[in-house]
């Protein structure tokens, strides 16, 4: 067994990259504006539709009689620029899915529109738009999604255009357990107004359970836009609308699939400070079809013993009817089990609770520094809070309205459906700790750890992540950076590439605490390296030496070679922790580009931004 942390380069296997050019190179004859339109169109198509389009265009070459039909359609479409622009900024894919849902509705009504990822939106797009429909999520504690950062900075800077001609509306997605709820949407809304744009509709803000308010906003938008549709636009339709929704969509958060647990295996060795599980779920009979990069959403339930302990500390009857959300009323016990977070408390909830119960001593804690609040909140659950400060003066319904919704947990899929057709594999770090005299578990990870019986099942649904995809050209090299459980999607990437016999080179950076106990999927990586699929493997184990070494250090150590891969057209992927790892890795990449590309700090940042815009730098961080 190899023990040196950095001996996995296998540089002797590096072959000169001789594959096809990148998609951007292939589109070089097109103007930048036309390239953007092509990318927008292709981004809205699934794999089958892209194959159909490829064949259709190829058919024009062999059947010239079709050319006038295409020319007539494109000529008619170019007579008027789209008056509606649908703009989305997505971190996990929810905003993009809602934007596509709106786009489908606009198509069905014959409304001419353009749909854009915020990363591709330019000043010219905003100046050309007449109606802007903006769907954006908030990432972390008030930040815009990564792919929305450039647009946010442009709108806030001196280069922002005046937008008096524009009417707009914002659909904002967020999580009310964070203090700056829907902050990104609020900032875009305020900035568009400051630049002179007029609201078409007021901003709609959505919590974790966003489906109902999102539908409401889409319906309201469509009502405003009905006059925009015209018979001439509808005449461009070549037939009935193609139904692109797959049977996978039959299973949602509210209608999950009960997946049998086939395997529940601990990956970390005895003595590790972490319990990481490899979970294999059966998809047999579900019709769920996923791609590498997608996630499985697991519908959470609070543990019965935790709910019972909380009810014992409250004065409300367990069967008291309370509002579970805007549309439903449930008995309190059921709502606490299925709908509300009852575990760790957030600053936002503490502030709300302190005001509702009039607890003067809690208010300073809600306004304390991050360090002071973290010290107070560490290990403290809702049970501890209500035991110390009972909800005096609140009835059961008022108490329930204070509670944050119980959010689903997403886990990157660590398998290829081509290799394991009826399975989805997950890599789960089990959250477990002792505080306030009791043992606490992560709501989902703790439950998964205990599902070892033969008939165990878990409620799941597919969460697509179109912003985290393998390159379409199998000859393209990829660089994967995934410390800890962030390595999960890269196991899927390599399994998929091996099945497809992709010729592109593959380089993995992996990091964890110790080589002996925390080398997740070690046998898989070493076997793929032995077979030549994994060209390079560079590992960093932070606690195997006095000075801590992380993946960003390995990136800097091999910066010259990484730069050569990027210049040869490699795609770059980062998955894992968003708070520390992802920023540290990004800074390391900036250093690599500056040092080995001979660029200044500003040009290095622009280089990485261009990689993002070309979808050659993709991140799935949480």
């Amino acid at each position: 067994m190899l023990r040196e942390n950095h001996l996995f380069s296998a540089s002797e296997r590096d072959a000169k990259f001789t594959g096809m050019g990148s998609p951007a190179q292939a589109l070089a004859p097109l103007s930048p504006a036309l390239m953007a339109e092509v990318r927008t169109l292709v981004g809205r198509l699934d794999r089958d539709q892209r194959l159909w389009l490829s064949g259709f265009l190829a058919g024009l070459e062999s059947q010239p009689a079709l050319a006038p039909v295409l020319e007539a359609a494109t000529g008619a479409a170019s007579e008027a620029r789209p008056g509606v622009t649908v703009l989305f900024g997505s971190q996990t894919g929810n905003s993009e899915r809602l934007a596509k849902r709106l786009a489908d509705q606009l198509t069905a009504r014959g409304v001419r529109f353009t749909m854009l990822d915020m990363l591709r939106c330019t000043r010219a797009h905003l100046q050309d738009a007449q109606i802007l429909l903006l769907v954006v999520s908030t990432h972390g504690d008030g930040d815009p999604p990564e792919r929305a950062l450039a647009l946010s900075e442009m709108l806030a800077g001196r280069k922002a255009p005046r937008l008096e001609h524009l009417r707009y509306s914002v659909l904002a997605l967020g999580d009310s357990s964070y203090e700056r709820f829907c902050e990104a949407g609020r900032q875009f809304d305020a900035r568009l107004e400051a630049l002179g744009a007029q609201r078409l509709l007021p901003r709609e803000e959505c919590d974790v359970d966003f489906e109902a308010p999102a539908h409401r906003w889409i319906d309201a938008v469509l009502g405003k836009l009905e006059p925009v549709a015209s018979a001439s636009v509808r005449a461009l339709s070549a037939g009935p609308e193609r139904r692109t929704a797959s049977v996978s969509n039959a299973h949602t958060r509210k209608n999950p699939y009960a997946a049998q647990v086939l395997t529940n295996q601990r990956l970390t060795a005895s003595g590790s400070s972490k319990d990481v599980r490899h979970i294999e779920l059966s998809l047999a009979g579900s019709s769920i079809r996923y791609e590498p990069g997608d996630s499985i959403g697991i519908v959470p339930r609070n543990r019965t013993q935790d709910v019972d302990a909380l009810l014992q500390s409250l004065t409300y009857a367990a069967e008291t009817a309370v509002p579970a959300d805007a549309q439903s009323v449930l008995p309190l016990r059921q709502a606490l089990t299925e709908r509300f977070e009852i575990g760790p408390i957030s600053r936002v909830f503490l502030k709300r609770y302190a005001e509702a119960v009039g607890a003067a001593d809690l208010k300073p804690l809600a306004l304390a520094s991050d360090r002071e609040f973290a010290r107070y909140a560490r290990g403290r659950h809702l049970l501890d809070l209500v035991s110390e400060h009972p909800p005096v003066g609140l009835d059961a319904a008022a108490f329930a309205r204070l509670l944050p919704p119980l959010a689903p947990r997403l886990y990157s899929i660590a398998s290829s459906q081509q290799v394991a057709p009826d399975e989805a594999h997950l890599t789960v770090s089990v959250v477990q700790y002792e505080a306030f005299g009791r043992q606490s578990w992560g709501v989902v990870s703790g439950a998964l750890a205990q599902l070892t019986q033969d008939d165990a099942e878990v409620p799941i649904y597919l969460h697509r992540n179109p912003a985290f995809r393998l390159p379409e050209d199998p000859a393209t090299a990829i660089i994967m950076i995934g410390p800890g459980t962030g390595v999960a999607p890269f196991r899927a990437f390599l399994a998929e590439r091996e099945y497809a016999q992709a010729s592109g080179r593959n380089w993995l950076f992996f990091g964890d605490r110790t080589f002996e106990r925390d080398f997740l999927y070690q046998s898989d990586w070493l076997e793929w390296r032995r077979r030549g699929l994994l060209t390079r493997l560079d590992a960093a184990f932070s606690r195997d030496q006095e000075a801590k070494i992380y993946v960003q250090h390995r990136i800097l150590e091999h910066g010259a070679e990484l730069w050569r891969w990027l210049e040869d057209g490699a795609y770059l992927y980062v998955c894992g922790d968003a708070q520390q790892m992802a920023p540290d890795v990004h800074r390391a990449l900036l250093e690599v580009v500056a040092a080995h590309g001979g660029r200044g700090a500003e040009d290095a940042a622009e280089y990485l931004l261009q990689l993002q815009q070309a979808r050659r730098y993709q991140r799935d961080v949480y």
Side-chain angles (χ1 to χ4, degrees), residues 99-399:
K100 288 182 177 179
R101 189 178 302 172
L102 172 59
D104 289 342
Q105 293 291 325
L106 293 173
T107 299
R109 286 163 172 76
V111 178
R112 198 186 305 277
F113 69 93
T114 294
M115 187 170 77
L116 284 172
D117 184 330
M118 283 188 177
L119 188 61
R120 303 190 185 283
C121 184
T122 65
R123 177 189 176 101
H125 286 124
L126 296 176
Q127 291 173 320
D128 288 344
Q130 300 172 31
I131 296 174
L132 181 68
L133 305 175
L134 190 149
V135 186
V136 64
S137 62
T138 294
H139 181 52
D141 193 13
D143 298 323
E146 291 180 11
R147 297 180 70 83
L149 281 172
L151 179 63
S152 176
E153 292 170 358
M154 186 268 282
L155 289 176
R158 290 180 296 176
K159 295 182 180 180
R162 294 300 303 172
L163 300 173
E164 282 85 358
H165 66 284
L166 185 68
R167 300 182 71 194
Y168 75 97
S169 185
V170 174
L171 177 64
L173 274 61
D175 182 341
S176 61
S177 64
Y178 287 91
E179 185 171 11
R180 301 175 69 192
F181 173 63
C182 286
E183 181 66 18
R186 294 175 181 178
Q187 291 292 336
F188 275 109
D189 189 11
R191 192 56 188 155
L192 288 170
E193 182 183 37
L195 293 171
Q198 302 296 312
R199 287 188 184 87
L200 180 72
L201 286 168
R203 179 181 69 251
E204 183 77 50
E205 296 185 348
C206 305
D207 208 335
V208 172
D209 194 2
F210 57 81
E211 291 289 346
H215 277 299
R216 183 168 60 243
W217 180 80
I218 289 174
D219 287 344
V221 163
L222 294 172
K224 287 282 188 179
L225 296 183
E226 279 297 337
V228 175
S230 66
S232 61
V233 175
R234 291 192 180 96
L236 295 176
S237 175
E241 179 187 5
R242 179 178 175 184
R243 305 291 293 180
T244 60
S246 72
V247 286
S248 301
N249 295 330
H251 299 294
T252 64
R253 179 187 174 190
K254 294 188 176 179
N255 181 36
Y257 172 70
Q260 181 185 0
V261 179
L262 301 175
T263 299
N264 188 339
Q265 174 187 356
R266 178 164 172 155
L267 291 175
T268 45
S270 175
S272 172
S273 57
K274 299 191 296 183
D275 180 358
V276 178
R277 302 297 179 96
H278 173 74
I279 307 287
E280 296 182 2
L281 304 176
S282 172
L283 303 181
S286 70
S287 299
I288 290 176
R289 301 297 303 171
Y290 65 82
E291 296 181 61
D294 287 339
S295 299
I296 289 293
I298 297 183
V299 179
R301 286 175 62 93
N302 289 309
R303 296 196 307 168
T304 300
Q305 55 266 48
D306 293 339
V307 174
D308 289 342
L310 179 59
L311 284 170
Q312 289 176 6
S313 295
L314 298 170
T315 59
Y316 316 126
E319 299 307 310
T320 305
V322 298
D325 53 39
Q327 290 80 36
S328 60
V329 173
L330 294 174
L332 179 60
R333 178 189 294 279
Q334 184 180 354
L336 292 176
T337 301
E338 300 175 359
R339 299 297 185 86
F340 297 127
E341 293 278 5
I342 64 171
I345 59 175
S346 68
R347 183 193 293 272
V348 173
F349 174 75
L350 183 65
K351 184 177 181 180
R352 262 199 324 251
Y353 187 80
E355 293 174 351
V357 302
D361 56 332
L362 288 179
K363 293 180 180 179
L365 289 168
L367 300 174
S369 68
D370 289 344
R371 178 175 295 183
E372 291 173 336
F373 176 76
R375 185 182 302 117
Y376 167 79
R378 185 176 296 113
R380 193 182 302 269
H381 285 200
L382 178 62
L383 170 62
D384 306 303
L385 181 62
V386 300
S387 298
E388 298 163 355
H389 298 84
V392 178
L394 299 180
D395 60 20
F399 176 75

Side-chain angles (χ1 to χ4, degrees), residues 463-474:
H463 182 97
R464 296 198 181 279
N465 188 3
F468 204 72
R469 288 285 187 259
L470 281 166
E472 300 228 351
D473 182 357

Side-chain angles (χ1 to χ4, degrees), residues 5 510-513 538-542 549-554:
N5 295 349
F510 173 74
D512 217 309
R513 294 180 179 177
D538 287 285
F541 295 101
S542 61
I549 298 176
Y550 299 105
V551 288
Q552 60 266 27
H553 299 122
R554 294 292 181 229

Side-chain angles (χ1 to χ4, degrees), residues 538-576:
D538 287 285
F541 295 101
S542 61
R543 301 187 183 183
D544 276 353
Q545 60 284 309
E546 185 175 352
K548 290 186 177 179
I549 298 176
Y550 299 105
V551 288
Q552 60 266 27
H553 299 122
R554 294 292 181 229
I555 290 169
L556 292 172
E557 182 180 333
H558 300 290
E561 182 66 11
L562 189 147
W563 171 252
R564 283 192 289 270
W565 279 50
L566 290 178
E567 284 295 275
D568 280 344
Y571 276 47
L572 182 63
Y573 300 89
V574 179
C575 183

